[in-house]
């Protein structure tokens, strides 16, 4: 009879994803061929060779199921766990193998046994001694003695399988764990069936036992890795939600123009927006702010705390609160940034922050501003634009005792001021980004409101592919 097991030699080559799919297909086709031959082999004949041959087919099917499971794990990776393959139906009759297989080979993990119920004699193959860790010259254990090697919690399972086999004639197909004399715990899969005597009674029981410890360990590793990834994913989702809630709680609303509770005539038309990164989990520390102060001036600020996540979002909230509090106390922009730098120097967690802080006095149309390693504001007037000359200022948190200069800019009605955080123009350095933004001067000049200008910025730079989020704040002098 030709062997049902054949495989292309190319299957031994290291597989890529496509090769793994081909191996899975080939394995499943092979399983079908083996099963077809197994079904044609008599299962209830008196010829021991036929029973032994059928047992080998059953064993081959189990090994192919294991290979299918391993290949599925290789294809899917640790994110999913392959479902356990269905075991083939049918009885199993095994004649003990007389010689031991080479250590480490596939057959060294498969042993066979026969228990004669009339004489209470037991016959084991050499491989079964290896699996159970017993000396090859030790007497084979009887069915009554076999449970002594089994973990206590698995003994009822083994007893039930053997009882069902001997009393009700049911095939054995189950798994239990054994404790070897050297202390190792091994998972053993057992298949067997009763052999009837001439009088129709059960005369003996045949079985084949496979050491499936490595397969179960691999499946357990995949399952634990999947569970760990799921826990990490849930944690990241929670952190992302908290970071978003922090941003929404701290930043002024960016849908529509920012409305300040003006006590007098409206002097600034304000609008702002946050442009999110393409990856929604990258919640950064960018902020914008506009706050009407008690002396009639308006605070305008933008900044960026390096990093992403909950800690960065909470740090941004702390800094923004500090900036607001100092501005309400009348602190001027340069001095304010110096105090924020001292605050960062005293915190446990080191951080780097870039920022621009401005105070606008409407009575004189004067803008006083300072910066800390941040892109300078852009001023648009009469259809053209330019960068404001930046005073000295290093990143906040970079060095202790840093001093921040101030600049004064005279504005006019109709002027438009653009403040933004780094990364507004994706893929461009500071100089190239400024050039792109200045190129929007004609469109800004034609815009009626600050919100129209923000809408233009979103159309230009808010598309897919952004690597980081960014904030923009537009202030148009109305009177």
């Amino acid at each position: 009879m030709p062997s049902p097991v054949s495989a292309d030699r190319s299957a031994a080559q290291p597989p890529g994803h496509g090769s793994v799919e081909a191996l899975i297909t080939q394995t499943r086709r092979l399983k079908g061929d083996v099963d077809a031959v197994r079904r044609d082999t008599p299962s209830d004949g008196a010829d021991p060779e036929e029973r032994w041959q059928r047992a080998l087919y059953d064993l081959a099917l189990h090994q192919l199921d294991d290979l299918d499971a391993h290949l599925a794990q290789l294809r899917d990776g640790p994110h999913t766990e392959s479902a356990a393959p269905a075991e083939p139906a049918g009885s199993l009759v095994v004649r003990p193998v007389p010689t031991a297989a080479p250590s480490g080979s596939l057959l060294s993990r498969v042993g066979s046994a026969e228990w004669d119920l009339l004489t209470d004699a037991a016959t084991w193959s050499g491989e079964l001694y290896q699996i159970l860790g017993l000396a090859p010259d030790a007497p084979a254990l009887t069915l009554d003695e076999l449970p002594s090697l089994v973990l206590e919690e698995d003994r009822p399972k083994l007893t039930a399988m053997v009882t069902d086999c001997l009393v009700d004639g049911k095939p054995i197909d189950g798994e239990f764990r054994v404790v070897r004399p050297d202390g190792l715990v091994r998972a053993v899969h057992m298949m067997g069936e009763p052999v009837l005597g001439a009088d129709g009674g059960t005369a003996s029981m045949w079985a084949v036992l496979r050491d499936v410890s490595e397969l179960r360990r691999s499946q357990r590793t995949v399952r634990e890795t999947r569970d760990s990834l799921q826990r990490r994913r849930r944690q990241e989702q929670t952190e992302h939600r908290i970071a978003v809630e922090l941003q929404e709680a701290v930043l002024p609303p960016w849908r529509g123009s920012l409305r300040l509770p003006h006590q007098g005539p409206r002097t600034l038309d304000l609008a702002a927006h946050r442009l999110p990164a393409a990856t929604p989990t990258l919640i950064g520390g960018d902020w914008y702010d506009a706050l009407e102060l008690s002396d009639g001036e308006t605070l305008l600020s933008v900044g960026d705390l390096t990093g992403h996540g909950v800690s960065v979002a909470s740090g941004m909230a702390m800094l923004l609160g500090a900036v607001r509090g100092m501005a309400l106390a009348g602190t001027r922009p340069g001095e304010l940034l110096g105090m924020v730098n001292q605050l960062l120097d005293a915190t446990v967690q080191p951080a780097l922050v870039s920022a621009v802080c401005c105070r606008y006095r409407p009575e004189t149309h004067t803008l006083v501003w300072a910066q800390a390693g941040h892109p300078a504001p852009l001023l648009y007037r009469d259809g053209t634009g330019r960068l404001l000359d930046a005073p000295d200022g290093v990143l906040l948190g970079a060095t202790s005792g840093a001093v921040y200069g101030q600049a004064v800019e005279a504005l006019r009605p109709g002027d438009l001021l653009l403040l933004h955080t780094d990364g507004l123009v994706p893929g461009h350095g500071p100089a190239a980004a400024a050039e792109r933004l200045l190129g929007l001067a004609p469109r800004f000049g034609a815009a009626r409101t600050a919100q129209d200008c923000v809408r233009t910025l979103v159309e230009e730079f808010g598309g897919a592919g952004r690597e980081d989020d960014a904030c923009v704040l537009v202030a148009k002098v109305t009177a």
Side-chain angles (χ1 to χ4, degrees):
M1 177 184 298
S3 170
V5 181
S6 62
D8 193 323
R9 294 182 183 272
S10 63
Q13 300 299 318
H17 186 276
S19 300
V20 172
E21 289 288 356
L23 286 171
I24 291 175
T25 300
Q26 187 178 36
T27 299
R28 292 175 180 174
R29 185 187 305 116
L30 192 56
K31 284 164 57 179
D33 293 342
V34 173
D35 190 44
V37 177
R38 183 187 65 86
R39 287 196 300 267
D40 292 338
T41 304
S43 60
D44 53 358
D47 187 352
E49 291 301 325
E50 290 181 348
R51 294 202 301 269
W52 170 241
Q53 188 177 49
R54 183 181 175 89
L56 289 178
Y57 290 145
D58 282 338
L59 177 60
L61 284 171
H62 273 280
Q63 300 291 355
L64 288 170
D65 280 332
D66 290 350
L67 177 60
D68 192 0
H70 280 300
L71 289 173
Q73 291 175 8
L74 180 61
R75 176 195 61 195
D76 298 334
H79 298 287
T80 58
E81 179 181 14
S82 302
E87 300 287 5
S91 60
L92 173 67
V93 181
V94 180
R95 180 173 298 279
V97 181
T99 59
S103 176
S105 71
L106 179 62
L107 288 179
S108 69
R109 299 195 300 270
V110 180
S112 57
E114 179 183 6
W115 287 277
D116 191 319
L117 303 182
L118 302 180
T119 64
D120 203 28
T123 307
W124 287 5
S125 70
E127 291 77 19
L128 187 53
Y129 282 94
Q130 293 182 35
I131 292 172
L132 301 181
L134 299 177
D137 56 353
L141 300 183
T142 66
L143 285 177
D144 292 333
E145 296 169 333
L146 184 61
S148 64
L149 293 177
V150 179
L151 276 177
E152 185 174 354
E153 55 263 39
D154 288 358
R155 289 174 188 172
K157 184 190 304 185
L158 174 62
T159 300
M161 288 191 300
V162 172
T163 300
D164 289 344
C165 178
L166 299 181
V167 175
D168 299 328
K170 295 181 179 179
I172 289 177
D173 192 346
E175 193 171 306
F176 52 87
R177 291 164 296 170
V178 299
V179 183
R180 293 162 38 121
D182 57 11
L184 291 178
V185 177
R186 310 298 292 177
V188 176
H189 179 238
M190 182 177 183
M191 298 175 65
E193 70 170 15
V195 178
L196 303 181
D199 59 355
T202 302
S204 62
M205 191 181 85
W206 297 76
V208 63
L209 296 93
R210 293 191 305 146
D211 185 345
V212 294
S213 304
E214 298 304 321
L215 175 63
R216 297 299 175 253
R217 184 177 297 110
S218 173
Q219 292 174 335
R220 183 168 60 252
T221 299
V222 170
R223 182 172 61 252
E224 291 172 352
T225 303
R226 178 204 60 193
D227 293 343
S228 175
L229 289 172
Q230 289 178 343
R231 286 193 299 270
R232 179 59 185 165
R233 190 175 298 117
R234 287 193 295 268
Q235 180 182 354
E236 289 175 348
Q237 290 171 347
T238 300
E239 291 179 351
H240 176 260
R241 186 181 69 252
I242 293 173
V244 170
E245 290 173 354
L246 273 172
Q247 277 192 334
E248 293 178 348
V250 173
L251 297 183
W254 54 74
R255 290 183 176 85
S257 297
L258 295 172
R259 303 295 181 184
L260 301 180
H262 292 282
Q263 298 176 359
R266 184 180 179 191
T267 58
L268 287 177
D269 176 24
L270 298 169
H273 192 79
R274 184 180 72 87
L275 288 78
T279 304
T281 55
L282 295 178
I283 300 298
D286 293 57
W287 86 78
Y288 61 83
D289 194 26
L291 180 65
E292 190 173 43
L293 305 175
S294 57
D295 59 2
E297 296 187 2
T298 299
L299 169 72
L300 304 175
S301 71
V302 294
D304 182 8
L305 176 64
T306 57
H308 301 90
V310 174
S311 62
V312 171
S314 62
M316 177 270 291
M318 180 272 292
L319 286 173
L320 185 52
V323 170
R324 288 173 173 175
M326 295 176 195
L328 285 169
T331 308
R332 310 308 290 174
E335 183 184 2
L336 186 152
L337 291 180
M339 295 175 68
V340 172
N341 188 61
Q342 292 180 24
L343 176 64
L344 287 174
D345 193 41
T347 57
V348 177
Q349 288 292 103
L352 291 176
V353 182
S354 68
V356 164
C357 181
C358 311
R359 288 180 71 111
Y360 175 68
R361 178 173 289 277
E363 291 88 350
T364 60
H365 293 160
T366 302
L367 183 79
V368 180
W369 70 284
Q371 65 84 29
H374 198 89
L378 294 92
L379 176 61
Y380 298 85
R381 178 181 294 167
D382 299 330
T384 62
R386 64 180 176 88
L387 275 173
L388 299 186
D389 294 330
D392 292 337
V394 298
L395 286 170
L396 299 171
T399 181
S400 300
V403 176
Y404 295 86
Q406 286 187 167
V408 179
E409 189 73 29
L411 302 183
R412 306 174 187 172
D415 283 355
L416 187 141
L417 197 66
L418 170 62
L419 282 68
H420 66 92
T421 59
D422 194 22
L424 172 61
V425 184
H428 289 68
E435 185 176 353
R436 287 284 306 276
L437 291 171
L438 292 174
L440 298 176
R443 296 176 63 181
F444 287 167
R448 293 183 300 106
T449 66
Q451 185 61 44
D452 289 339
C453 297
V454 167
R455 193 173 293 113
T456 297
L457 290 167
V458 173
E459 290 173 356
E460 287 290 324
F461 309 119
R466 296 191 56 84
E467 295 182 358
D468 200 359
D469 53 0
C471 289
V472 295
L473 173 61
V474 174
K476 186 173 185 180
V477 181
T478 59

